[in-house]
Amino acid sequence: YKNSVVTEASLSQADVRQRELDFYTNNYWLWGGTATTMAGFVFSQLTNPVPEGTDFYLETTYLLCTALCLGLNLCIITWTVLCCTW
């Protein structure tokens, strides 16, 4: 009787851990998919030319912020793929 209770508890614990792992893996895949979509939009903004006559500092700030957003999205994509495949 004791062995069956210990075995059942171990199986239950393994099932809970598997569900937890699935939960976190699904969350990471969702973050990665969202970051991929956002990176696509940000890249399309980088390919659009800045209008003529735009102030230099405004143009520089715009390009820096857009490049930073793209870089952070690529970091999130890389991290989520590494977390989900590791």
Side-chain angles (χ1 to χ4, degrees):
Y1 177 73
K2 181 181 175 184
N3 286 338
S4 66
V5 170
V6 170
T7 302
E8 197 171 310
S10 295
L11 289 175
S12 175
Q13 183 181 19
D15 185 46
V16 168
R17 287 185 178 181
Q18 183 61 44
R19 287 183 185 180
E20 183 181 16
L21 183 63
D22 290 342
F23 173 75
Y24 285 117
T25 303
N26 288 335
N27 281 341
Y28 286 143
W29 280 124
L30 184 65
W31 287 352
T34 304
T36 302
T37 304
M38 290 297 295
F41 288 127
V42 171
F43 183 76
S44 70
Q45 283 300 312
L46 274 178
T47 58
N48 288 338
V50 179
E52 292 294 324
T54 304
D55 184 42
F56 173 75
Y57 294 111
L58 181 62
E59 181 179 353
T60 304
T61 304
Y62 169 74
L63 290 175
L64 284 175
C65 289
T66 308
L68 178 68
C69 287
L70 181 62
L72 291 175
N73 279 320
L74 293 176
C75 284
I76 291 171
I77 293 167
T78 304
W79 294 336
T80 56
V81 168
L82 288 175
C83 287
C84 289
T85 57
W86 186 15

